C-alpha cells in the first residue's frame, strides 16, 4: 500500500491515501489493482475507475465517459429537495431531471422522498444507460434526447419541479479544468458556450410551457453568472431567485412559473 500511495502522489493525487484505499477495496487481485492504478496515473477520474461515486449519501454507479457528480451539486439537491417536500405536502410532485448524466440527482431525490414521480433525460446514450442502471426498480423513467425533446408530450404543463445540472463552464475556460475532466468527461456535459449560459437559455425558453402553475426550474451556475442567469429566466416569464452556498462555492438559480 505505501508504494501505491507514493505512485498516486507522484501522479498529482492530493488525497493519495484515500484513493489508495478505494482502489485496493475495488480490486479483486493484485493484477486488477495494478491495472486500476495505471489508469489513475494516466489521469482517469477515480470514480470511473472504481465504478461509483457517492452523492448526497447515495452510491451512484458510473461508467467510463460519464460525467462525475460533484459534491458542490449537493446544494442543488438540497434546494430541489426542499421544494419537492413542500409540494409533496399537498400531492405527489412530478419531478423532471434534465441533463441527468448518471442520474445522481434523481436517485438522491428518490432516496429522500416517499411520494414522487420522476422523469430523467440526457442527450448522451452512454449517460442514459448509466442513469437507467441507477434508477432501475424505482419510481423513475429515463428518456434519451435533447432537453424537452426527450420528454413525452403529456408532461407538458404538469411539471412541479424541473432540475437541471446544465453545463455552465464558458468554452474558453475548459482548458483550465483538471486534466481528468478535460480528457475523460464528455465536453458537452461541461461546455456552456461562450458565456456558460447557452444551455440554461435554451432550457428557460421552453420551461414555462412545461412547468405547472407555481412550478419551479432549478439549475446550478457560478456566482459570477447568477445575475445574468436570473435575467434570462425573468425575460422568459419566470420569477427568478438566487441561492448561494459559500462553503461549497456554488450557486443555484431558480425560476418559478407564476400561478394563474
Amino acid at each position: 500500500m505505501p508504494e501505491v500511495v507514493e505512485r498516486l502522489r507522484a501522479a498529482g493525487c492530493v488525497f493519495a491515501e484515500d484513493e489508495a484505499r478505494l482502489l485496493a477495496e475495488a480490486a479483486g487481485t493484485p493484477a486488477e489493482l495494478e491495472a486500476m492504478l495505471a489508469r489513475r496515473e494516466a489521469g482517469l477520474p477515480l470514480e470511473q475507475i472504481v465504478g461509483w461515486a457517492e452523492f448526497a449519501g447515495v452510491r451512484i454507479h458510473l461508467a467510463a465517459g460519464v460525467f462525475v457528480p460533484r459534491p458542490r451539486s449537493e446544494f442543488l439537491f438540497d434546494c430541489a429537495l426542499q421544494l419537492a417536500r413542500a409540494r409533496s405536502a399537498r400531492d405527489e410532485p412530478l419531478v423532471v431531471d434534465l441533463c441527468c448524466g448518471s442520474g445522481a440527482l434523481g436517485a438522491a431525490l428518490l432516496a429522500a422522498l416517499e411520494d414522487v414521480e420522476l422523469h430523467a433525460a440526457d442527450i448522451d446514450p452512454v449517460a442514459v444507460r448509466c442513469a437507467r442502471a441507477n434508477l432501475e426498480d424505482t419510481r423513475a423513467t429515463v428518456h434519451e434526447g435533447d432537453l424537452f425533446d426527450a420528454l413525452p408530450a403529456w408532461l407538458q404543463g404538469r411539471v412541479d419541479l424541473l432540475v437541471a445540472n446544465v453545463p455552465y463552464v464558458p468554452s474558453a475556460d475548459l482548458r483550465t479544468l483538471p486534466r481528468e475532466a478535460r480528457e475523460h468527461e464528455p465536453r458537452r456535459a461541461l461546455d456552456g458556450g461562450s458565456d456558460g449560459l447557452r444551455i440554461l437559455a435554451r432550457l428557460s425558453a421552453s420551461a414555462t410551457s412545461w412547468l405547472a402553475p407555481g412550478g419551479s426550474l432549478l439549475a446550478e451556475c457560478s456566482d459570477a453568472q447568477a445575475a445574468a442567469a436570473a435575467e434570462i429566466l425573468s425575460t422568459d416569464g419566470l420569477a427568478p431567485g438566487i441561492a448561494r452556498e459559500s462553503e461549497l462555492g456554488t450557486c443555484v438559480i431558480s425560476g418559478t412559473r407564476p400561478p394563474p
Side-chain angles (χ1 to χ4, degrees):
M1 185 68 75
E3 179 186 350
V4 173
V5 172
E6 288 306 311
R7 287 175 61 179
L8 289 170
R9 282 180 180 151
C13 299
V14 177
F15 303 104
E17 291 85 356
D18 292 336
E19 292 199 13
R21 176 179 53 80
L22 289 171
L23 289 172
E25 290 173 355
T29 65
E32 287 181 1
L33 177 59
E34 176 58 34
M36 288 181 170
L37 181 57
R39 293 173 68 200
R40 185 62 179 131
E41 289 175 310
L44 273 76
L46 175 70
E47 295 84 356
Q48 291 181 2
I49 296 170
V50 300
W52 61 273
E54 184 172 317
F55 181 80
V58 178
R59 180 171 285 203
I60 302 298
H61 162 72
L62 282 180
V66 176
F67 179 80
V68 177
R70 275 44 169 185
R72 64 174 174 267
S73 296
E74 292 185 7
F75 183 53
L76 176 58
F77 161 74
D78 290 340
C79 293
L81 180 60
Q82 182 178 357
L83 285 178
R85 280 178 170 160
R87 193 78 181 196
S88 66
R90 302 188 298 273
D91 50 37
E92 181 181 77
L94 195 158
V95 178
V96 168
D97 178 10
L98 292 183
C99 304
C100 73
S102 63
L105 271 170
L109 286 170
L110 285 172
L113 295 165
E114 292 185 3
D115 297 310
V116 63
E117 179 180 355
L118 177 75
H119 291 260
D122 201 283
I123 194 171
D124 184 348
V126 178
V128 167
R129 288 196 295 271
C130 192
R132 284 178 174 151
N134 283 311
L135 295 170
E136 65 181 350
D137 301 325
T138 68
R139 297 151 286 158
T141 305
V142 182
H143 311 274
E144 181 179 336
D146 186 15
L147 299 181
F148 294 108
D149 289 345
L151 302 178
W154 62 266
L155 289 178
Q156 202 156 8
R158 298 185 55 207
V159 178
D160 298 305
L161 178 60
L162 170 62
V163 293
N165 193 0
V166 297
Y168 61 89
V169 180
S171 301
D173 292 345
L174 291 173
R175 65 180 183 275
T176 69
L177 295 177
R179 175 189 173 194
E180 58 192 57
R182 295 195 317 270
E183 297 182 1
H184 300 289
E185 292 184 288
R187 180 185 177 108
R188 62 184 170 189
L190 302 166
D191 191 348
S194 59
D195 62 356
L197 298 175
R198 180 185 61 195
I199 307 303
L200 177 65
R202 289 184 55 214
L203 191 72
S204 175
S206 300
T208 302
S209 66
W210 287 85
L211 290 171
S216 296
L217 177 160
L218 292 178
E220 187 176 306
C221 66
S222 73
D223 187 66
Q225 295 167 327
E231 180 62 27
I232 289 171
L233 298 178
S234 179
T235 299
D236 291 329
L238 298 171
I242 300 172
R244 293 178 170 87
E245 215 296 327
S246 57
E247 185 174 336
L248 292 172
T250 189
C251 184
V252 168
I253 186 77
S254 63
T256 301
R257 178 183 172 185

